Amino acid sequence: MRRLIFITAALLLTLLPARAGVLAPGRECVSLGGRWHYIVDPMDTGIYKYHMTLQKPSKRFFADRHFYEDKTRLVEYDFDKAPLIDVPGDWNTQSERLYYYEGSVWYRRTVDFKPEAGKRWFLYFGAVNYKCMVGINNTILGTHKGGFTPFWFEVTDVLKEGSNSLVVWVNNTRGQSEVPTLNYDWWNYGGITRDVKLVSVPEVFIKDYKISFDGSGIDITVSLDGGSAPVTVEIPELGLRKVIRGGHARFCKVKPELWCPENPKLYDIVLSCGEDRITDRVGFRTVRVEGDKILLNGKPVFLKGVALHDESIGVNPGRCRSEQDARALLEAAKDLGCNFLRLAHYPHSEEMVRLAEEMGFMLWEELPCYWNIDWSSEETYANAETQLLEMMERDYNRAAIIIWSVANETPRNPERLSFLGRLIAKVREKDSGRLVSAALEKKLVDPRHAVVEDELAELTDIVSFNQYEGWYDGTPADCDSLSWQIPVGKPIIVSEFGGGALYGNHGSDSELFTEEYLALLYRKNLEMLSRLPGLCGICPWCLKDFRSPKRPLTGIQDDFNRKGLIDEQGRRKQAFGVVRDYYLSR
Ligand code: GCB
């Protein structure tokens, strides 16, 4: 068994994808989304021999029967006859048989290709949950781990003219040392959950660019792949143009219209290098902390937030698949009066982030270091850091993101402090223009006194914590007299509070899971939180009821965490109005 784990780990480690940068946005892409064939493989027959020694993957499913040369061998699978599934999309909501499934699924589609002289080709995945191995025409391109961030492989030398077989092994088995770990409160949606694209670039191309604004000037750094050449950068509306030769340029003394929720101004930017050209939309703003205030563009701001999962609104909701799915959630948050979103508990899609930016939401983006992960494992740390870098690289240029958050409700111990301390140092090394946080916990020292005591708060810019007075602790009325002891001198964000209610379940306001109870809970919590000195923002937990296998209560939960202000179909509970009235009054 040990040998098997070792061989599997070795295979997974040696073929890592190319990383860094902005490969897909603003470029010529062919979406490979659509109907793919799939084979469910709970025993990993496509990988292992019957004695569990590692089967050379090229001799099994990657060979793709359709293209299989050796017709004399017994082949017990056929992608062409296998059922079809939508990509992007989770498998759990597309087949009743796969609703609770955690294991391996093989995907296959064919890709028509016509080579062009002087071009290179990359295969880009928006996200695959959780692990995957990708092959084309029987050549394994590599593997990726981490369910919410993009990765890509160069396929220039692998694609052949005509039809190509693209096979992806996906596995969403949870693991003790993974990020997230075995236990978490959301649905483990498996599959190729975000778009797959074929991207073409010239021999020398812009691999990455980063733009930032410090209040007086705009800095741009670019990096190239395949050679060196000058890069021209233009922001036409500001009349800015420069040729970058050494990888960096600064436009001094510029006065752009600043991005803010009331005026989410974005500018077109064009970068060109030889035949390569990328276009994007970027905003300019500053964010910093002064004492216990958060300053956006130099002025104190109150974050009227809500937390949400990347799960669509609908009768059978699943992982969001499209811009329309993201828009429906964002419109609900707009109606609630929000100017801020906590994108919980892992990186949401790029579409979600971009649309939120256009619509004027400040954003908190988060890593799935959730509850009690394996703090002492160096491999777990490396995994978390990779996910962090992939998230930051994808979204560095989004002005809407004001906070990177590294963890949620993690237990206090030295290993965790060191692990998260290293992640925080990494964030600061890569980005000095944003705030760093982590959602901490509060403790009741007795029913009337709550404390937030956590050495991690010394490393973050903001003291953020989750609290559930009136739900997991006490009653809504207890909010009236609860006293708080919170580290002083930093801004405070209450990153979660709330309770459960089933939409349409009415009764007295002392009855759990009724809309009336939840409305009272919110009224009492909002009064209590408003009294906290240094309060800079709040995030009700959460916008929409979301699927969670930890919530089986029949007739009420039925596999949904019912703490949404709207239910899974978008219907508003009474508490929605309570929060909206509060936001209108601030
Ligand atoms: C929390 C977690 C969140 C859960 C929520 C709950 O503290 O951060 O992920 O879903 O509580 O509903 O219990």
Side-chain angles (χ1 to χ4, degrees), residues 298-329:
K299 288 192 225 99
V301 64
F302 186 79
L303 308 177
K304 303 179 195 178
V306 75
L308 61 150
H309 272 285
D310 181 17
E311 189 187 86
S312 58
I313 296 175
V315 181
N316 179 23
R319 183 66 74 231
C320 290
R321 298 188 197 183
S322 62
E323 199 187 278
Q324 290 91 294
D325 288 344
R327 191 179 291 280
L329 289 165

Side-chain angles (χ1 to χ4, degrees), residues 184-186 309 342 344-345 366 370-371 408-409 439-441 466-468 471-472 495-496 498-499 541-542 546 548 551 561-563:
Y184 48 87
D185 188 19
W186 67 85
H309 272 285
R342 176 178 175 197
H345 280 301
E366 174 167 344
Y370 181 95
W371 292 350
N408 180 73
E409 290 186 349
L440 309 178
E441 295 185 283
N466 302 345
Q467 68 85 24
Y468 282 90
W471 191 253
Y472 295 126
S495 34
E496 281 178 32
W541 185 262
C542 55
F546 59 93
S548 167
R551 312 290 173 175
N561 182 317
R562 292 284 175 209
K563 295 192 190 70

Side-chain angles (χ1 to χ4, degrees), residues 25 45 53 91 104 113 201 210 215 247 272 274 285 304-305 344 357 396 504 524 530 552:
T45 297
T53 48
W91 62 56
S104 294
F113 178 69
V201 292
K210 289 197 166 60
S272 36
R285 55 98 191 94
K304 303 179 195 178
E357 175 166 84
Y396 184 93
K524 292 292 183 188
S530 301

Side-chain angles (χ1 to χ4, degrees), residues 138-379:
N138 217 355
T139 299
I140 308 227
L141 300 173
T143 63
H144 182 263
K145 190 153 108 159
F148 306 98
T149 42
F151 56 95
W152 52 87
F153 304 98
E154 179 154 13
V155 290
T156 314
D157 297 333
V158 183
L159 288 175
K160 58 180 174 41
E161 182 149 15
S163 183
N164 293 264
S165 166
L166 167 57
V167 174
V168 185
W169 169 82
V170 184
N171 180 290
N172 72 334
T173 308
R174 284 166 297 121
Q176 173 84 56
S177 296
E178 301 301 336
V179 185
T181 180
L182 288 169
N183 185 26
Y184 48 87
D185 188 19
W186 67 85
W187 208 263
N188 181 18
Y189 289 118
I192 305 179
T193 52
R194 296 184 185 149
D195 209 2
V196 183
K197 299 172 191 175
L198 192 59
V199 188
S200 78
V201 292
E203 296 281 353
V204 178
F205 70 96
I206 302 164
K207 177 169 100 169
D208 192 16
Y209 90 97
K210 289 197 166 60
I211 185 159
S212 60
F213 175 68
D214 62 10
S216 64
I218 296 172
D219 283 286
I220 302 181
T221 49
V222 288
S223 55
L224 301 180
D225 190 296
S228 56
V231 178
T232 306
V233 53
E234 292 164 89
I235 306 177
E237 202 181 330
L238 291 172
L240 301 177
R241 183 177 192 281
K242 234 178 206 165
V243 178
I244 306 178
R245 289 173 204 283
H248 171 258
R250 180 172 168 87
F251 295 108
C252 301
K253 296 200 189 125
V254 281
K255 285 211 175 320
E257 225 178 285
L258 299 181
W259 184 97
C260 62
E262 302 71 36
N263 176 32
K265 171 73 188 165
L266 297 175
Y267 290 90
D268 287 330
I269 181 168
V270 185
L271 293 108
S272 36
C273 173
E275 282 168 32
D276 195 28
R277 185 171 189 273
I278 55 179
T279 56
D280 203 350
R281 307 259 299 148
V282 290
F284 303 103
R285 55 98 191 94
T286 60
V287 63
R288 67 191 170 89
V289 156
E290 199 174 272
D292 62 5
K293 303 259 177 301
I294 297 175
L295 306 185
L296 182 76
N297 300 326
K299 288 192 225 99
V301 64
F302 186 79
L303 308 177
K304 303 179 195 178
V306 75
L308 61 150
H309 272 285
D310 181 17
E311 189 187 86
S312 58
I313 296 175
V315 181
N316 179 23
R319 183 66 74 231
C320 290
R321 298 188 197 183
S322 62
E323 199 187 278
Q324 290 91 294
D325 288 344
R327 191 179 291 280
L329 289 165
L330 295 174
E331 277 171 359
K334 262 282 143 144
D335 291 345
L336 188 62
C338 294
N339 61 11
F340 174 66
L341 301 174
R342 176 178 175 197
L343 302 178
H345 280 301
Y346 40 76
H348 288 211
S349 70
E350 188 169 352
E351 289 77 20
M352 171 70 90
V353 172
R354 284 178 174 269
L355 196 58
E357 175 166 84
E358 261 173 46
M359 289 171 72
F361 292 103
M362 294 173 278
L363 298 176
W364 154 312
E365 263 208 307
E366 174 167 344
L367 272 191
C369 297
Y370 181 95
W371 292 350
N372 203 10
I373 68 170
D374 191 351
W375 308 109
S376 333
S377 157
E378 213 26 63
E379 218 181 291

Side-chain angles (χ1 to χ4, degrees), residues 86-116:
D86 279 339
V87 171
D90 63 77
W91 62 56
N92 314 73
T93 58
Q94 296 194 58
S95 157
E96 253 179 68
R97 289 196 308 161
L98 298 178
Y99 178 67
Y100 288 112
Y101 184 66
E102 295 183 317
S104 294
V105 172
W106 293 82
Y107 286 71
R108 197 271 270 142
R109 69 156 284 161
T110 52
V111 180
D112 287 329
F113 178 69
K114 200 166 178 313
E116 278 174 59

